[in-house]
Amino acid sequence: MLRRCDDDESARALIAELRATYPTARHHCSAYLVDVDGAGRIERSNDDGEPSGTAGTPMLDVLRGSGLTGVCAVVVRWFGGTKLGTGGLARAYAAAVGAAVDEAWRSGLVVEVVRTPAWVAEVDHSVAGGLESAVRAAGAQVLDVDYGRRVRMRVAGELDVLGPILATRTSGGAEWESVGVATTENAASRADMES
C-alpha cells in the first residue's frame, strides 16, 4: 500500500492500521519520506523481521528515486512457501513499491503541494475588483474575498509581486498583512517531480 502521509505520525498510523487489518501476516515492512517544516526530511524504513536490509531499505530507495515525498509504503507479506533469498527479497519488495508508485502516477493520484505566503488587506469597494483582477493577472491566488463595510481580500503569493499591486491600486492607502502560509495542491507531472 502506498499512501500520502504528511508527517511522521500519519506514517506510523498507517503502519499500525495495516498491522491491525492483517494480524496474521508475518511481515509489515515499511518505508516513508516526509518533509517537516523547519526540520528537514524524515526517512524511515523497517524490515519487520526480514533479513536486515532486504525490505525497508530497498523500499526506501524506490521512494527516494521516485521524486515523491510525504508518502508511506507498506508491504504486507505472508510466507508463500518459496524461499527467495536475500537478493530475491530485496527485488520483490522494491518491485512492489515501484508498482504502487507507477499506479499512483497512472491514476493521477500524485499532487504537488505548494506552500506560499498568505496575505490579507482591507480596501474600499471602489478598488476591490481591480485589485482582485491585478492579483490574478500577476499569477498570485485570490483565496477569498469578504465584502463587508470594506472588502477584506486574502491572497497567496510573494510580497515583492503583491506589494506594488496593492500600493498602485490604493495609492499607498493599504498594506498586506501576513497571515501565515497557504497550502495548495496542483496536479503533478512525473517529469517535473523526477528531475
Side-chain angles (χ1 to χ4, degrees):
M1 168 166 291
L2 187 69
R3 185 183 292 171
R4 176 179 175 172
C5 292
D6 292 323
D7 53 37
D8 193 53
E9 293 77 26
S10 59
R12 291 177 189 271
L14 172 61
I15 297 163
E17 174 190 326
L18 291 175
R19 282 186 190 283
T21 303
Y22 304 105
T24 61
R26 290 185 62 186
H27 307 284
H28 302 82
C29 302
S30 60
Y32 61 91
L33 301 171
V34 293
D35 288 331
V36 179
D37 289 338
R41 176 169 286 172
I42 296 173
E43 297 185 356
R44 301 267 191 272
S45 66
N46 187 325
D47 294 319
D48 194 39
E50 293 285 22
S52 181
T54 62
T57 300
M59 294 168 64
L60 187 57
D61 288 343
V62 171
L63 293 180
R64 286 181 185 134
S66 72
L68 301 178
T69 188
V71 64
C72 179
V74 181
V75 177
V76 179
R77 186 171 94 83
W78 290 262
F79 182 70
T82 302
K83 296 193 181 245
L84 300 175
T86 57
L89 280 172
R91 286 187 296 278
Y93 280 103
V97 174
V101 168
D102 288 344
E103 180 58 27
W105 281 110
R106 246 188 321 280
S107 301
L109 298 174
V110 179
V111 296
E112 180 182 15
V113 177
V114 179
R115 291 177 177 81
T116 311
W119 309 92
V120 67
E122 287 192 9
V123 299
D124 291 331
H125 285 263
S126 61
V127 299
L131 175 61
E132 182 175 350
S133 179
V135 166
R136 291 182 195 280
Q141 290 184 298
V142 176
L143 301 173
D144 57 62
V145 182
D146 182 25
Y147 292 92
R149 189 177 62 78
R150 292 180 47 107
V151 178
R152 185 174 192 271
M153 188 175 301
R154 192 168 63 95
V155 301
E158 298 301 327
L159 187 58
D160 60 343
V161 171
L162 296 169
I165 295 170
L166 183 63
T168 300
R169 295 286 172 170
T170 65
S171 300
E175 291 184 9
W176 293 113
E177 176 187 334
S178 175
V179 289
V181 174
T183 301
T184 56
E185 296 180 7
N186 305 313
S189 160
R190 190 169 197 168
D192 290 341
M193 300 294 278
E194 291 179 339
S195 59

